[in-house]
Amino acid sequence: DQGPMVTTLQSSTNPYTVSFISGEGRDSSLEGFTILNTYPYSNESTSIGVYCLNSSPTITNNIIKAQSGLSTSGTGVWVYNGYPLINGNTISDSSRYGVVITDRSAPRSLVTEIANNTISRNNYAGIKIISSGAGGRENIHHNVIAGNGCNGMWLTFGTEYTAKANP
């Protein structure tokens, strides 16, 4: 009942601590954990706390950190062609990015929502969105995005987004 302060999921032997890779939708949820990944960096992979491949789960009320042996690897949440709800999490202290959203091919009617999170102290950007322009939109609101290494939000390649009240 005390959530992330009680239960920790940690990986030091797999690049992904938690993965959604089977087309999961918003009815699949990850809630109330501390998620750590300390997988050592290699040429083939990076350490990722939560990895979503062609999936759009609900990720809520977690503490997420990904720290590899190098400062250029390690992302809290990585979404490849998915449209998740990322809400109420603390995503911090990752050795690269807090959240990365990339490679869209679904209809523009789908929306990624990043809301009510604290995204801080990540070595690079708090949120990086790399959009191919093929589909999808981002709704980013009511987050605290602060103290990240180079950017709070880094939006590239024609990203369509709405950002509101991100202090």
Side-chain angles (χ1 to χ4, degrees):
D1 222 4
Q2 297 174 9
M5 300 313 216
V6 175
T7 305
T8 299
L9 305 175
Q10 181 171 2
S11 177
S12 60
T13 59
N14 189 313
Y16 318 126
T17 302
V18 177
S19 57
F20 294 91
I21 57 172
S22 303
E24 293 88 351
R26 292 264 174 102
D27 55 336
S28 295
S29 97
L30 177 66
E31 181 175 4
F33 295 97
T34 293
I35 300 161
L36 303 173
N37 191 306
T38 56
Y39 182 75
Y41 176 78
S42 72
N43 289 335
E44 292 88 36
S45 61
T46 183
S47 62
I48 297 172
V50 180
Y51 180 61
C52 303
L53 172 64
N54 301 318
S55 298
S56 303
T58 298
I59 301 166
T60 188
N61 298 322
N62 300 288
I63 297 170
I64 303 170
K65 301 178 182 189
Q67 302 164 332
S68 72
L70 296 176
S71 63
T72 57
S73 177
T75 297
V77 179
W78 190 294
V79 180
Y80 185 92
N81 195 34
Y83 303 87
L85 168 60
I86 301 171
N87 183 63
N89 301 284
T90 297
I91 303 169
S92 65
D93 302 304
S94 292
S95 48
R96 193 158 196 181
Y97 302 108
V99 177
V100 172
I101 310 286
T102 188
D103 292 319
R104 306 313 192 106
S105 61
R108 295 192 79 70
S109 61
L110 298 176
V111 177
T112 296
E113 186 167 2
I114 303 172
N116 306 304
N117 300 287
T118 298
I119 303 172
S120 63
R121 299 186 316 271
N122 299 291
N123 281 1
Y124 285 56
I127 299 172
K128 181 176 183 182
I129 300 174
I130 308 165
S131 177
S132 65
R137 295 172 295 147
E138 319 332 314
N139 186 2
I140 303 166
H141 61 92
H142 296 94
N143 298 285
V144 174
I145 303 169
N148 295 289
C150 64
N151 297 85
M153 294 193 298
W154 182 4
L155 311 173
T156 63
F157 301 117
T159 300
E160 183 180 327
Y161 71 97
T162 302
K164 296 187 265 186
N166 292 290

